[in-house]
Amino acid sequence: QVQLEESGGGSVQAGGSLRLSCRYSSSSYCMAWFRQAPGKEREGVARMDRHERIGYANSVKGRFTISNDNAQNTLYLQMSSVKPGDTAMYYCAAEENPYGGTCTLSIRSYTTWGQGTQVTVSS
């Protein structure tokens, strides 16, 4: 079973930047970042597959960047131009055998999750 551990969360002012890290015990075919704000459903933010094909939610496109460092076994989420609406608990997720062989931003597509790291954006 893959182990995931997120870090890098904290408080940041609107317009600022933050980089989240997800240390994994072994790589998976799909890896992704999700977030969940209080009272809201968990939503997909960014995904990457083993071939480095990437996808983003429309709400973060152009502001967030997902990347992976295989040598460090770490997945990153670079957050720029953050907004108060980005405030949420951010989760790393992994799936080795995605349905249909395609990575998505659906929570149902992932079976392994980290514990999360909190991001708070103040105006």
Side-chain angles (χ1 to χ4, degrees):
Q1 179 78 359
V2 175
Q3 304 291 321
L4 305 173
E5 183 175 6
E6 302 95 335
S7 62
S11 296
V12 60
Q13 287 192 328
S17 299
L18 204 61
R19 189 177 76 163
L20 306 183
S21 300
C22 172
R23 190 71 186 264
Y24 49 85
S25 57
S26 61
S27 66
S28 299
Y29 188 83
C30 301
M31 297 205 71
W33 286 97
F34 287 76
R35 67 186 182 186
Q36 187 167 17
K40 295 188 176 181
E41 294 186 351
R42 192 171 298 188
E43 62 175 3
V45 174
R47 59 162 176 84
M48 172 184 277
D49 71 14
R50 189 163 282 152
H51 306 291
E52 298 189 345
R53 290 175 292 211
I54 291 172
Y56 295 97
N58 287 334
S59 58
V60 306
K61 202 172 291 185
R63 300 189 298 121
F64 291 9
T65 302
I66 188 172
S67 63
N68 182 51
D69 186 336
N70 280 318
Q72 297 294 326
N73 275 21
T74 303
L75 182 76
Y76 297 101
L77 184 69
Q78 178 68 47
M79 306 169 62
S80 302
S81 302
V82 296
K83 306 173 182 179
D86 295 323
T87 295
M89 184 72 80
Y90 282 72
Y91 298 91
C92 180
E95 175 57 47
E96 178 59 25
N97 298 298
Y99 179 78
T102 301
C103 302
T104 73
L105 285 177
S106 169
I107 61 173
R108 292 175 294 180
S109 298
Y110 295 84
T111 55
T112 302
W113 295 84
Q115 293 300 307
T117 186
Q118 176 68 38
V119 173
T120 302
V121 182
S122 58
S123 57

